[in-house]
Amino acid sequence: PIIFLSSLNKDKDIEMGIAAGGDDYLLKPISEVVLAAKIRAMQRIIQMRQSLLVLTRKLDTANQELKRLTSLDGLTSIANRRHFDEVLVREWRRAMRQGEELSILMCDIDFFKLYNDTYGHQSGDECLRKIAQALASAMDRGGDLLARYGGEEFVAVLPGTTLSGASYVAAQMRQAVNKLALPHTGSPYGHITASFGVASGVAMPETEPQDILGAADRALYKAKNAGRNRVFQTISLDP
């Protein structure tokens, strides 16, 4: 804080002093008692500003943490459906601007309802957590996003990735799930497996993000019908 001490006592002089950055304007001769009181008042202002700055930083940190937590799935600690939807729209628009290819990968745990019925829902939750970790371990690019889509379904958005590249990631994920070797007596494979659908395409003005998502879902459906524990791929504009 700045205090002016001046013998200029016209209103215009005081106005100019305050306009120049002064926080107070005292006329000479000045009482030491008054000056000391003014300085103490300015010190209180400094302390309040510092406290406000500290509080603002704490609130900003808390808001960032809240934003992070609201974007995560509570069970698996990966991104949730809402965050995935936001990222998909953002990446779709970016891909359209840059003319890049975008890929979507969908995953469904095979015979998971039967797994829950056999081993219980607590074991089912633990299974979902382990599979989420396994899927995440197969992704090594910072720009890719893995999310829990709902129930036993997972989804990933892979910006700037071709169909073959996304299919390779899906194959790595499938192997990671198989390596967990989680026993499942209700599966013909004897352990937990997962099926994958992959779709890729270039974002165009006449298309929507849901088009490529629907294509990946259809590819997943074909993988399930073909016997599960496999990867099917498609171009997003294919029927």
Side-chain angles (χ1 to χ4, degrees), residues 25-230:
Y25 192 102
L26 303 181
L27 298 174
K28 294 179 180 180
I30 182 68
S31 163
E32 291 186 6
V33 175
V34 173
L35 179 59
K38 291 287 186 180
I39 290 175
R40 287 195 298 272
M42 293 301 172
Q43 288 173 333
R44 288 197 298 271
I45 292 175
I46 292 174
Q47 291 172 352
M48 286 188 292
R49 286 176 178 173
Q50 290 174 338
S51 297
L52 182 60
L53 180 61
V54 171
L55 180 59
T56 300
R57 288 174 177 170
K58 287 182 178 179
L59 286 174
D60 183 61
T61 301
N63 285 333
Q64 291 295 328
E65 179 64 11
L66 180 61
K67 183 179 179 181
R68 186 186 71 83
L69 291 175
T70 55
S71 68
L72 295 181
D73 174 62
L75 177 64
T76 61
S77 297
I78 62 174
N80 58 23
R81 169 74 177 272
R82 187 179 72 171
H83 186 55
F84 166 78
D85 290 340
E86 293 172 353
V87 171
L88 175 59
V89 171
R90 184 173 69 242
E91 292 298 338
W92 181 265
R93 291 172 179 170
R94 189 168 69 89
M96 188 181 299
R97 289 194 305 269
Q98 299 180 357
E100 290 184 347
E101 199 164 353
L102 181 72
S103 291
I104 295 293
L105 180 158
M106 294 198 74
C107 165
D108 184 85
I109 304 174
D110 299 327
F111 306 105
F112 187 71
K113 183 180 183 303
L114 187 57
Y115 184 90
N116 268 337
D117 293 341
T118 303
Y119 299 96
H121 289 281
Q122 287 187 343
S123 296
D125 288 347
E126 183 61 24
C127 174
L128 288 172
R129 282 190 285 265
K130 289 181 178 179
I131 287 181
Q133 294 172 2
L135 297 178
S137 69
M139 300 176 66
D140 56 7
R141 292 198 320 171
D144 298 340
L145 176 76
L146 173 69
R148 186 181 178 196
Y149 197 67
E152 66 272 24
E153 284 191 322
F154 297 86
V155 65
V157 55
L158 311 174
T161 305
T162 63
L163 184 62
S164 60
S167 297
Y168 174 80
V169 173
Q172 294 294 106
M173 287 181 170
R174 190 183 70 83
Q175 291 179 12
V177 173
N178 282 328
K179 286 180 180 178
L180 290 174
L182 299 175
H184 186 0
T185 57
S187 169
Y189 297 99
H191 58 85
I192 282 288
T193 60
S195 300
F196 295 82
V198 180
S200 183
V202 177
M204 304 295 289
E206 63 272 17
T207 58
E208 298 289 339
Q210 293 303 315
D211 294 335
I212 190 172
L213 191 62
D217 189 49
R218 291 191 294 273
L220 173 61
Y221 183 77
K222 292 178 181 178
K224 302 285 280 188
N225 281 346
R228 296 178 170 83
N229 191 25
R230 63 198 64 212

